[in-house]
Amino acid sequence: MRAPVIHIVEDDASLREALASLFASVELETRQYGSTAAFLEAHEPDQPGCLVLDVRLPGLSGLDFQSQMEGLGVRLPVVLMTGHGDIPMSVRGMKAGAVDFLAKPFRDQDMLDAAAAAVERDRRRREAEGDSDRVRALFETLSPRERQVMALVTAGKMNKQVAGDLNLSEVTVKIHRGSAMRKMGAKSLADLVRMAGALGLRT
């Protein structure tokens, strides 16, 4: 996994530099932007990290940008900051999924803690998506019959019921079930059920 980057979107150049120095003190890489448009021009979806976003920006405001991020293909967790914060603003930002909302001037440690929490949230999301991709790749190695058996078994059906549904012998169902578990790397039925959930299997 690539090292995380803290993207600082703030129109005040002196504050951008101060934040970059703060994150550098704990060995975090940063990139700086004076507007959301500048950030979008440089955005790399595969780059892990988070967004430290000022609420009041030229052009598209931080809060408006936050509400549009998903449609723009930006999935980074957000830490909001403002010198003009009020409760409705804070509530709107947090409801939209912000990790934290910091009023300027904020303590350095509060910003470091918020950014660390945001980077961790991004890491967990990417890890879960990686697991999902791996399970999907394993599922693609199953034969059509093994997929049918896996779907029915993980839906809670007994081998005998699966045999009846697919017009197979119970022994054949057991063979397909065992083969599916082996190919999927499932150590137990519970493992297989979890994988079926990740795949969104429906019978």
Side-chain angles (χ1 to χ4, degrees), residues 7-36:
H7 299 274
I8 304 166
V9 187
E10 162 64 64
D11 59 334
D12 180 335
S14 61
L15 180 53
R16 284 202 309 269
E17 289 294 340
L19 285 169
S21 295
L22 173 64
F23 290 123
S25 73
V26 291
E27 300 182 344
L28 282 171
E29 184 182 343
T30 58
R31 291 181 193 161
Q32 301 178 41
Y33 316 89
S35 67
T36 54

Side-chain angles (χ1 to χ4, degrees), residues 9-184:
V9 187
E10 162 64 64
D11 59 334
D12 180 335
S14 61
L15 180 53
R16 284 202 309 269
E17 289 294 340
L19 285 169
S21 295
L22 173 64
F23 290 123
S25 73
V26 291
E27 300 182 344
L28 282 171
E29 184 182 343
T30 58
R31 291 181 193 161
Q32 301 178 41
Y33 316 89
S35 67
T36 54
F39 165 75
L40 283 174
E41 278 182 30
H43 177 52
E44 299 174 54
D46 292 338
Q47 177 70 61
C50 74
L51 198 56
V52 174
L53 182 63
D54 190 22
V55 165
R56 293 178 186 264
L57 290 165
L60 194 63
S61 78
L63 282 177
D64 287 339
F65 179 67
Q66 184 196 15
S67 69
Q68 296 177 27
M69 280 174 52
E70 193 165 338
L72 294 167
V74 181
R75 303 179 66 195
L76 292 172
V78 172
V79 175
L80 290 169
M81 55 182 176
T82 183
H84 311 276
D86 57 20
I87 290 174
M89 230 183 232
S90 175
V91 168
R92 180 181 162 193
M94 297 304 281
K95 277 187 174 178
V99 173
D100 211 336
F101 190 104
L102 301 177
K104 302 172 188 172
F106 41 76
R107 293 190 318 128
D108 287 354
Q109 192 59 51
D110 289 341
M111 175 57 78
L112 291 174
D113 289 347
V119 166
E120 175 61 16
R121 182 185 291 184
D122 188 56
R123 185 194 67 76
R124 287 198 305 266
R125 175 184 67 80
R126 290 172 187 274
E127 193 174 77
E129 288 178 353
D131 284 347
S132 180
D133 290 344
R134 180 182 61 81
V135 170
R136 174 66 60 188
L138 291 172
F139 186 68
E140 294 296 326
T141 69
L142 303 188
S143 70
R145 185 62 89 189
E146 287 165 351
R147 292 180 194 181
Q148 286 179 313
V149 169
M150 176 176 168
L152 291 167
V153 164
T154 55
K157 295 201 172 187
M158 307 293 287
N159 289 339
K160 187 174 182 179
Q161 293 171 302
V162 176
D165 286 354
L166 300 179
N167 199 25
L168 299 171
S169 73
E170 203 171 333
V171 170
T172 302
V173 168
K174 287 179 180 176
I175 290 169
H176 286 311
R177 175 177 169 166
S179 179
M181 289 185 68
R182 186 173 65 256
K183 288 181 181 179
M184 293 298 293

